[in-house]
Structure formats: structure tokens, C-alpha cells
Amino acid sequence: MASAYLSIEQVGKSFTRGGSTTQVLADIDLKVGRGEYISIIGHSGCGKSTLLNIVAGLTPVSTGAVLLDNSEVNAPGPDRAVVFQNHSLLPWLTVYDNVRLAVDKVFRGRKSAAERHDWTMHNLDLVQMAHARTRRPSEISGGMKQRVGIARALAMEPKVLLLDEPFGALDALTRAHLQDSVMQIHASLGNTVMMITHDVDEAVLLSDRIVMMTNGPAARIGEILDVPLARPRERLDLVADPTYLRCRAAVLKFLYERHRLVEAA
Ligand SMILES: Nc1ncnc2c1ncn2[C@@H]1O[C@H](COP(=O)(O)OP(=O)(O)O)[C@@H](O)[C@H]1O
Ligand SMILES: [Mg+2]
């Protein structure tokens, strides 16, 4: 593995509500290399979003620390752009202005207005949304909204792209197209990505490594699986690829066994 660019060190998280404290995450240790595509998979409620929000700086750790490029993370910042399952576009702004707003925020003073325009258009092009730049979020499909959200995140030139089930609300075909777009973008830009998913095929198709979390409370990293599939990856070729099938089976086995554990408890 590459040297640690993003380092999650002994992170634990507890929430206190109404006088009772629940430990959600325990002893999370993870090193992510620059340019690596990591997926976090685990059952609903185990703490995946909590972990992503900690890396985003939206949720403080209870114990441990997160380091990105040797700096400690303790607040949100443009070096960590997040894309959520439900797009968070501003409904009164056009597609263009939703991206431009972020570009202006990050690059004002560093790029001229003309450069910020070009950069906005470049990122809309990357996700094939330049043609819809004058539309508002209510006038485009769910998949298109996620594309705009991804363009906005990329436009910030983050050190890490944080994706929280970004394709979770989409139909299968739209999801497949968007996965392919994200793979192409990752191949050409070399982004460091941490993606949460509960879709086994999505995890295997996109990831260099899959981090499998145990069920909560006090969820931990159960196993980390390497996905040694050459890139670029073609989904149709992979359906019969022995390495793909082995990885898929390993993740399913992990999730199924953990799930059974909960049902038996
Ligand atoms: N702000 C909060 N206050 C209290 N409990 C929370 C808070 N955020 C998340 N939790 C709890 O932490 C656990 C993990 O939630 P989450 O990280 O959203 O799981 P996942 O994304 O894996 O489905 C859940 O039991 C949830 O209720
Ligand atoms: Mg979640």
C-alpha cells in the first residue's frame, strides 16, 4: 500500500443522548494511500456515516485523531468534499451556479472570474452535465443531481473525496452509468476516495480495498479486502472473472456471517 495520506488513528465515537451514552465506533485504524479508492461497507446503523462525518470534520471524535496530508482534521474544509446520497444542491440556483458557488468560495482571490467560469464548465463537462447548466435542480433527474453534486465536489479540488452512498437512491441503470463516470474520473484525476456503500458489487467494482465493518454498537473494522483487479475495469467482463467473484463472495460471506450474529443475539 502507498504511504498514508489519510490516516484514521484509533478513532472512537460515543454519542450521549438523554443521559445515556452509546459507543458507535471503537478503535478504528485505517491508512489510506494517495490516489487510493477505499470503500466502507457494513450493515445499516453500524456507524459508516459517522466515520465519514468524522473525516469530513462534521462530527468530532471522542478518542483518537484523523490526519490528512499530515494535518489534523477537526473542522470541515474544502480539502474534504462530501457527496451525500440525497443531493444537497440549492434549489433556487441553476446547475451552473450550484457549482460556481463552491468554485467562488474556494478559488476567489486565486483564480480570475474568467478562470472560475472555465473551471466550473470544466467540472460540469467531467460529469457530462454542461448541457444542463441553466436548469434548476427540480428540472433534472436524480442521477443528474448526483452528477452535479460530484462536479461541485471535484471543483473544490479536494484532497479526499468523501462519498456517502452516492448512488443509493438511483435506479440500477443510472447507478451503473454514474459508477462508470466515477471510475473514469478516478482514472484520469487520481483522486483519493472514501466511499460508503452497502452494495457489494459496487464496492468490488470501484475499490482498491474494501473495509468491512462489524455491527454496532462499538463497531470496528472487521476485515480489509484487497481487490487486485486491473484497471480500467469493465463491468461486463467482470461478471465471470474469478478474482471478481472471489472478492464478491468474501464480502458477502463477511456481511452474512455478521448479520447472522445479530439475529442470533
Ligand atoms: N448525532 C447523533 N446522536 C446520537 N446518535 C447518533 C448520531 N448520529 C448517529 N447516531 C447513531 O450512531 C449509529 C450509527 O449511525 P450511522 O453512522 O448513521 O450508521 P450507518 O451510516 O452505518 O447506517 C446509529 O445507531 C445512530 O442512531
Ligand atoms: Mg449512513
Side-chain angles (χ1 to χ4, degrees):
M1 190 192 70
S3 66
Y5 186 52
L6 171 65
S7 182
I8 300 173
E9 300 185 351
Q10 285 297 309
V11 163
K13 179 66 192 177
S14 303
F15 287 110
T16 303
R17 209 165 23 186
S20 72
T21 297
T22 324
Q23 187 168 19
V24 174
L25 298 173
D27 299 326
I28 305 287
D29 249 319
L30 180 65
K31 310 263 183 277
V32 181
R34 190 170 187 156
E36 209 180 357
Y37 200 117
I38 288 276
S39 287
I40 313 273
I41 198 164
H43 288 295
S44 186
C46 74
K48 303 180 296 296
S49 293
T50 301
L51 181 60
L52 183 124
N53 288 336
I54 287 172
V55 175
L58 297 166
T59 299
V61 295
S62 301
T63 56
V66 173
L67 297 170
L68 175 58
D69 200 9
N70 298 316
S71 301
E72 187 166 352
V73 163
N74 39 33
D79 57 343
R80 284 152 288 126
V82 191
V83 179
F84 295 104
Q85 174 173 337
N86 292 310
H87 78 92
S88 46
L89 304 178
L90 298 173
W92 59 89
L93 292 182
T94 61
V95 161
Y96 175 91
D97 284 331
N98 265 285
V99 177
R100 179 67 190 261
L101 188 71
V103 169
D104 284 347
K105 206 168 154 188
V106 176
F107 294 104
R108 196 185 295 280
R110 279 195 284 155
K111 285 186 197 284
S112 70
E115 286 168 336
R116 280 180 268 138
H117 167 75
D118 290 348
W119 182 240
T120 302
M121 290 307 297
H122 171 73
N123 281 281
L124 285 171
D125 270 332
L126 271 179
V127 298
Q128 296 129 45
M129 282 299 293
H131 67 282
R133 63 191 172 278
T134 61
R135 297 211 230 158
R136 290 197 160 68
S138 61
E139 299 165 337
I140 60 177
S141 68
M144 290 166 91
K145 285 182 234 192
Q146 287 307 80
R147 285 183 187 275
V148 179
I150 292 167
R152 182 176 57 183
L154 292 171
M156 297 161 72
E157 279 195 322
K159 289 177 176 168
V160 185
L161 196 55
L162 301 171
L163 309 176
D164 192 347
E165 306 204 22
F167 318 120
L170 305 174
D171 64 88
L173 199 59
T174 305
R175 174 189 283 238
H177 282 138
L178 222 51
Q179 289 166 346
D180 289 343
S181 292
V182 167
M183 275 197 288
Q184 280 160 15
I185 289 166
H186 178 247
S188 63
L189 301 182
N191 318 83
T192 307
V193 185
M194 181 169 145
M195 177 181 80
I196 288 173
T197 182
H198 54 235
D199 181 319
V200 176
D201 286 294
E202 177 170 289
V204 178
L205 181 66
L206 296 178
S207 313
D208 295 311
R209 286 188 299 154
I210 302 174
V211 175
M212 297 179 261
M213 291 181 62
T214 66
N215 285 333
R220 295 160 187 271
I221 292 176
E223 284 173 38
I224 300 182
L225 180 76
D226 272 307
V227 183
L229 290 167
R231 295 180 186 272
R233 297 175 181 171
E234 291 291 338
R235 70 179 64 238
L236 291 179
D237 298 343
L238 289 176
V239 289
D241 184 296
T243 305
Y244 181 86
L245 294 172
R246 174 181 61 76
C247 290
R248 192 176 184 281
V251 178
L252 278 173
K253 184 165 183 285
F254 177 90
L255 292 175
Y256 179 68
E257 285 179 352
R258 297 293 169 176
H259 197 52
R260 283 235 302 220
L261 218 67
V262 166
E263 282 171 350

